[in-house]
Amino acid sequence: MNKKIQQFLFFLAGLVVSIGFDQWTKYLAVVKLKGKQPFVIWDGVFELYYSENRGAAFGMMQGKQGFFFLIAIAVIAVVVFLLFRMPSDKKYLPFTGCLFLLVSGAAGNMIDRVANGYVVDFLYFKLIDFPIFNVADCYVVISTLLLILLFFFVYSDEELEFLSFGRQKNKKSENGE
């Protein structure tokens, strides 16, 4: 099987599984937590607390659903563009994994916004009074941090040339051929 097709299938499989997990956890939050007292995992530290977020991270920009939808579409479009430009070598599997997590987070919350008009949040670190979040939010944060680590410590500038939106360097002219 063609390596590019394998890379795309890996991306799609990861996307389906991660979005499915996000939506399942949100469904469980609605069924088990909505209208009830928080479920305490670690008293004073962490609990499952149902919340409906009509804004973005930390509840900012309440009621701007159209804006968030457009941002999610833009993220998905850029990731698909990068996926098709990315070399299909095995060394890019971590990069592909980060991309499907990023898209999964954007898509998971977009599904909520379209279906409900809000995003279901339920993970709450009470110890530091951190804003309530969900699995899709975790995907976005984790994938972003991993991408930063990959850019700084794993891939060389040459290995990331496919990210440039301009013209690719002509290797023959650089070598004097």
Side-chain angles (χ1 to χ4, degrees):
M1 185 184 299
N2 180 323
K3 283 185 180 183
K4 197 65 168 171
I5 293 172
Q6 285 178 326
Q7 181 184 36
F8 187 70
L9 290 175
F10 171 71
F11 178 84
L12 283 179
L15 198 64
V16 168
V17 169
S18 55
I19 290 174
F21 182 69
D22 170 65
Q23 292 299 299
W24 179 66
T25 59
K26 290 173 181 174
Y27 167 77
L28 289 175
V30 170
V31 170
K32 303 287 185 181
L33 299 171
K34 187 174 183 177
K36 298 179 180 150
Q37 291 295 315
F39 181 80
V40 177
I41 304 287
W42 186 355
D43 192 30
V45 178
F46 183 73
E47 56 191 37
L48 303 178
Y49 186 99
Y50 181 82
S51 177
E52 296 174 357
N53 185 354
R54 288 169 171 72
F58 313 116
M60 295 183 298
M61 298 178 66
Q62 294 287 320
K64 307 285 187 202
Q65 302 301 349
F67 174 74
F68 300 129
F69 184 80
L70 291 175
I71 294 296
I73 293 296
V75 167
I76 292 167
V78 168
V79 166
V80 168
F81 176 76
L82 290 176
L83 188 63
F84 282 105
R85 288 181 56 112
M86 183 187 318
S88 54
D89 299 343
K90 274 189 172 182
K91 67 182 165 192
Y92 293 100
L93 279 176
F95 194 96
T96 304
C98 289
L99 292 181
F100 80 66
L101 281 178
L102 186 62
V103 169
S104 296
N109 283 341
M110 184 173 63
I111 290 168
D112 280 14
R113 290 183 205 291
V114 170
N116 307 321
Y118 56 85
V119 174
V120 173
D121 288 333
F122 58 93
L123 301 170
Y124 178 46
F125 279 104
K126 188 174 186 174
L127 179 68
I128 57 173
D129 194 28
F130 195 79
I132 304 168
F133 58 101
N134 61 43
V135 173
D137 299 332
C138 294
Y139 292 159
V140 171
V141 171
I142 291 168
S143 64
T144 302
L145 291 174
L146 288 175
L147 282 170
I148 291 168
L149 291 173
L150 289 173
F151 289 162
F152 283 109
F153 301 110
V154 176
Y155 299 118
S156 67
D157 289 344
E158 292 79 27
E159 291 171 324
L160 295 174
E161 280 184 352
F162 72 92
L163 292 173
S164 68
F165 291 100
R167 291 186 167 187
Q168 298 291 321
K169 291 181 183 177
N170 185 344
K171 299 263 184 212
K172 288 184 180 180
S173 64
E174 285 180 357
N175 296 332
E177 295 178 11

